[in-house]
Amino acid sequence: MLIPFFFIISFLVSSSNALDFCVADLKGSQGPAGYSCKKSEAVTVADFVYSGLAAAGNTSNLIKAAVTPAFDAQFPGVNGLGLSMARLDLAVDGVVPLHTHPSASEILVVIQGSICAGFISSANKVYFKSLNKGDIMVFPLGLLHFQINAGKTPALAFVSFSSPSPGLQILDFALFASDLPSDIIEETTFLDDAQVKKLKGVLGGTG
């Protein structure tokens, strides 16, 4: 009878030492595991509430799209909890080009309008569908995916990620907004020199 008793006491003691949360200390350093924890006495309810997704993002840009993040850098309360959110605004003809989140899976729910969304598996099989209000789609971790406004009115979606800091790499920008030499891009993509220079000119790349 003593062994189960001591096991329960040990469990309760160890549980009492566990952190309920780790609000991000934005003045501290950020590592692969996220931000260090803010001192408990400095934590307030404001760390667990974020109102930044209420306003529409600015879609007056090349891709006619805006992503407003609620990641750990904007919403310290999600640090260490394995989740975050974002708002996606797509103007008419707006698009989020092929991109990947190296640290998170993603779930998108359409609030307004129509969005064509899809992803490409590691076997190069494509899964895409036009989504309408209330539809939800999941994008597995690390896979290339996209969103396009498929309607004649602005579209709105909210997105949830399985990481407080999902990361982002947009394929077009990685190739044509960087300083990767044009001859390497031409050899690895089979595009000709004129096409590469045109895309670098549009996206601001060099090399």
Side-chain angles (χ1 to χ4, degrees):
M1 293 296 294
L2 288 177
I3 293 177
F5 173 77
F6 284 119
F7 174 79
I8 292 171
I9 295 298
S10 175
F11 174 77
L12 291 175
V13 170
S14 63
S15 297
S16 67
N17 291 328
L19 289 175
D20 292 326
F21 45 77
C22 177
V23 171
D25 180 0
L26 301 182
K27 296 179 181 179
S29 59
Q30 183 183 26
Y35 286 94
S36 56
C37 303
K38 182 187 287 189
K39 292 182 178 179
S40 58
E41 58 269 24
V43 174
T44 71
V45 67
D47 292 310
F48 302 104
V49 178
Y50 183 66
S51 302
L53 303 189
N58 182 7
T59 57
S60 299
N61 51 56
L62 178 65
I63 61 176
K64 299 181 180 179
V67 176
T68 305
F71 303 158
D72 51 7
Q74 298 81 30
F75 189 12
V78 302
N79 186 56
L81 298 183
L83 77 171
S84 61
M85 292 191 68
R87 172 183 176 134
L88 171 61
D89 289 281
L90 290 167
V92 175
D93 298 326
V95 56
V96 181
L98 281 169
H99 63 283
T100 180
H101 304 289
S103 300
S105 297
E106 171 184 343
I107 291 180
L108 175 147
V109 57
V110 179
I111 304 301
Q112 171 187 311
S114 178
I115 296 175
C116 178
F119 65 89
I120 304 171
S121 75
S122 57
N124 293 324
K125 182 172 176 59
V126 180
Y127 301 88
F128 73 98
K129 186 175 178 64
S130 288
L131 308 174
N132 298 306
K133 182 178 178 179
D135 288 339
I136 297 174
M137 187 168 186
V138 64
F139 307 91
L141 184 150
L143 296 185
L144 287 167
H145 57 286
F146 63 89
Q147 291 94 21
I148 303 170
N149 187 334
K152 301 298 183 183
T153 60
L156 168 65
F158 285 100
V159 182
S160 178
F161 297 96
S162 63
S163 168
S165 183
L168 171 68
Q169 186 170 42
I170 299 177
L171 181 60
D172 291 347
F173 291 1
L175 288 172
F176 306 113
S178 68
D179 60 356
L180 184 63
S182 295
D183 58 341
I184 293 179
I185 297 175
E186 292 161 21
E187 290 183 20
T188 56
T189 63
F190 308 108
L191 296 172
D192 63 37
D193 186 63
Q195 291 172 314
V196 172
K197 286 182 177 177
K198 178 181 178 180
L199 290 167
K200 283 201 169 192
V202 171
L203 295 179
T206 59

